[in-house]
Amino acid sequence: MTNILAIIPARGGSKGIPRKNIRNFAGYPLIAWSIAAAKRSSLVTRIIVSTDDEEIAEVARAWGAETPFLRPEELAQDKTTDLPVFEHALKWLEEIEGYHPKIVVQLRPTSPIRPRTMVDDAINILLDHPDADCVRGVVPAAQNPFKMWRFNGEERPLGQLLEVPGIAEPYNAPRQILPPVYWQTGHIDAIRTATIVEKKSLTGNVIYPLMIDPKYTVDIDTLQDWAKYEAVIYSGLDVVSPGKQRRPMPEAVKMIICDFDGVVTDNLVLTDENGKETVAASRSDSMHIKTLRENGVEVMILSSEPNPVVKARAKKMGVEAIHGVGLQDKGRVMREVLEQKKVRAEDVIYIGNDLNDLPCFEVAGWSVAVADAYPEVIRAADHVLTKGGGRGAIREMCEMVLARLK
């Protein structure tokens, strides 16, 4: 078997998003997504995280990677390039272990959204082309460089960036007649070890492309990027995940079951001097319930909360409610309800936020978490809403189902 090593570079000193490599992305540490992609491969034989940070190393080990060394501090600076990091890793493995892989795969943590076969696809291209030094992931470029300019100062003319033989003014030409161009992504590089060791390069001279669907193009540098690409994960895109594979929404939704505290409400409670409790909910959550019912979709509340406020709010919303259910009994009660109503579990959506909702997630055909649910619940969910509990989460879910019915 060919030794194929996946190296995931993850330094601890991120400035844009502090500690980003171990910050939770869609329920899992960011670095876990790249480890999962390597583990998914049928060709990768070893996975190593190169880091200068002991906490990152600990998280990496927990998700199935090796951390046989800590990277020297001088190789973990803002301006450190990839080549010396990979040279260090290969030299350490050769000198300390006598280990020498034939191929090295680079998986950057900041590009966590990958198709299931991406790693093996890149390796196979390299194996199929003996002349290749490297295989690099690319996508069609969003901006055409033939229409770009060099800026020489406000008081000087712009300079044409690139010329095209046969086209006098490419910056004025229609896009269709310009040469196609591609952007290198950070998803993957499959590199011959000889390219790194002998040619002192991560690419060499002969670079073959791995064409990637643009919808997987991700590079996380800011918190805005973070939120944007978490939404991509929650949209149901088929990706390699550290956890279970998220299921799609059922084709024929017959029922939506909601928890109360933290879903219908924002999980906060106000208590007066007499012990009377009041909760906050969103009026908008009731907006589409009548329309759903007319389309054969029932909405109900299933809650462990004994307070009669559950029944009162359910009546106002126009939905059935079962409350005061024991924390350990919600899954059982949900099964009984579905049996009584003759509704198949695979046609049911359950919306939750707390750990006691997890048994219901196991019953439902589609498990949904509100945006501010517990991390364990987000990890277990098939879909995560953009709205928090008591802030329009149920309305968001109703609108998704209605859009499916159109």
Side-chain angles (χ1 to χ4, degrees):
M1 177 181 289
T2 302
N3 281 334
I4 299 178
L5 171 66
I7 296 181
I8 302 168
R11 69 188 184 93
S14 171
K15 297 293 192 299
I17 306 175
R19 313 299 293 160
K20 72 178 177 183
N21 286 311
I22 53 176
R23 179 188 174 101
N24 270 1
F25 177 78
Y28 302 93
L30 182 64
I31 198 170
W33 293 83
S34 293
I35 295 171
K39 291 172 68 176
R40 171 83 184 183
S41 168
S42 62
L43 299 174
V44 168
T45 56
R46 191 173 184 184
I47 307 166
I48 284 177
V49 168
S50 171
T51 183
D52 61 313
D53 187 284
E54 183 54 55
E55 186 180 11
I56 292 176
E58 183 179 351
V59 172
R61 290 191 294 270
W63 287 97
E66 296 179 53
T67 56
F69 54 80
L70 284 181
R71 191 196 311 176
E73 184 179 345
E74 61 268 21
L75 295 181
Q77 303 303 309
D78 291 346
K79 296 183 179 180
T80 301
T81 59
D82 290 333
L83 178 60
V85 172
F86 279 67
E87 288 178 326
H88 167 265
L90 291 172
K91 183 179 180 181
W92 193 97
L93 293 168
E94 175 75 29
E95 292 181 351
I96 304 303
E97 298 183 1
Y99 174 77
H100 183 75
K102 294 295 184 183
I103 293 172
V104 176
V105 176
Q106 173 167 215
L107 297 169
R108 294 179 179 86
T110 49
S111 295
I113 302 178
R114 297 181 175 92
R116 292 174 171 274
T117 63
M118 174 181 281
V119 175
D120 283 351
D121 289 345
I123 295 170
N124 280 322
I125 293 172
L126 192 65
L127 292 173
D128 290 343
H129 295 86
D131 62 322
D133 292 319
C134 168
V135 172
R136 173 158 284 188
V138 295
V139 296
Q143 301 293 331
N144 196 311
F146 297 111
K147 291 180 176 289
M148 294 181 182
W149 301 86
R150 289 189 179 89
F151 182 71
N152 299 314
E154 294 183 2
E155 301 301 322
R156 300 182 64 188
L158 291 170
Q160 182 178 338
L161 180 63
L162 296 174
E163 295 182 356
V164 182
I167 301 178
E169 297 180 344
Y171 43 83
N172 288 330
R175 172 182 53 82
Q176 290 81 357
I177 71 170
L178 295 172
V181 291
Y182 295 85
W183 177 259
Q184 62 184 27
T185 73
H187 288 94
I188 189 166
D189 296 306
I191 316 154
R192 294 195 196 281
T193 301
T195 302
I196 301 171
V197 175
E198 298 171 13
K199 296 189 177 183
K200 305 296 182 182
S201 171
L202 279 188
T203 58
N205 304 314
V206 183
I207 307 165
Y208 275 75
L210 172 65
M211 300 302 299
I212 299 172
D213 190 320
K215 64 188 176 185
Y216 292 94
T217 305
V218 173
D219 190 16
I220 299 175
D221 287 322
T222 67
L223 288 175
Q224 289 77 13
D225 294 336
W226 199 280
K228 174 183 176 181
Y229 293 122
E230 277 189 323
V232 171
I233 291 288
Y234 298 145
S235 72
L237 184 65
D238 187 22
V239 300
V240 181
S241 170
K244 74 179 184 68
Q245 186 62 26
R246 288 183 162 92
R247 300 170 294 178
M249 183 192 296
E251 286 295 327
V253 177
K254 296 299 181 183
M255 179 176 285
I256 301 172
I257 301 178
C258 311
D259 185 25
F260 186 73
D261 288 328
V263 175
V264 178
T265 78
D266 63 1
N267 218 18
L268 297 176
V269 63
L270 299 176
T271 308
D272 67 15
E273 65 273 15
N274 299 314
K276 182 178 180 180
E277 294 184 348
T278 57
V279 296
S282 172
R283 289 183 183 274
S284 72
D285 281 344
S286 307
M287 179 161 287
H288 299 298
I289 288 174
K290 180 181 177 183
T291 306
L292 282 172
R293 188 178 298 115
E294 291 170 350
N295 283 274
V297 181
E298 185 176 351
V299 179
M300 71 174 297
I301 294 170
L302 177 62
S303 174
S304 57
E305 173 58 57
N307 195 311
V309 70
V310 179
K311 284 281 190 182
R313 182 59 191 152
K315 182 177 180 181
K316 192 74 173 178
M317 294 174 68
V319 302
E320 180 183 352
I322 299 175
H323 72 115
V325 178
L327 291 176
Q328 307 302 319
D329 296 329
K330 289 184 76 172
R332 175 184 59 78
V333 172
M334 180 174 167
R335 287 189 179 90
E336 291 174 356
V337 167
L338 299 183
E339 185 176 349
Q340 292 167 7
K341 293 180 176 291
K342 295 181 169 53
V343 176
R344 300 190 313 163
E346 52 263 44
D347 296 332
V348 175
I349 296 172
Y350 184 88
I351 311 174
N353 78 302
D354 209 340
L355 299 179
N356 59 30
D357 293 310
L358 294 178
C360 297
F361 274 21
E362 295 177 3
V363 177
W366 207 43
S367 54
V368 176
V370 296
D372 52 353
Y374 278 82
E376 295 90 338
V377 177
I378 287 176
R379 283 198 290 269
D382 295 309
H383 181 79
V384 180
L385 298 167
T386 64
K387 305 290 186 183
R391 295 181 173 87
I394 295 175
R395 176 175 177 172
E396 180 182 346
M397 184 75 264
C398 291
E399 289 175 346
M400 289 179 64
V401 174
L402 286 172
R404 167 65 64 85
L405 294 174
K406 291 181 180 178

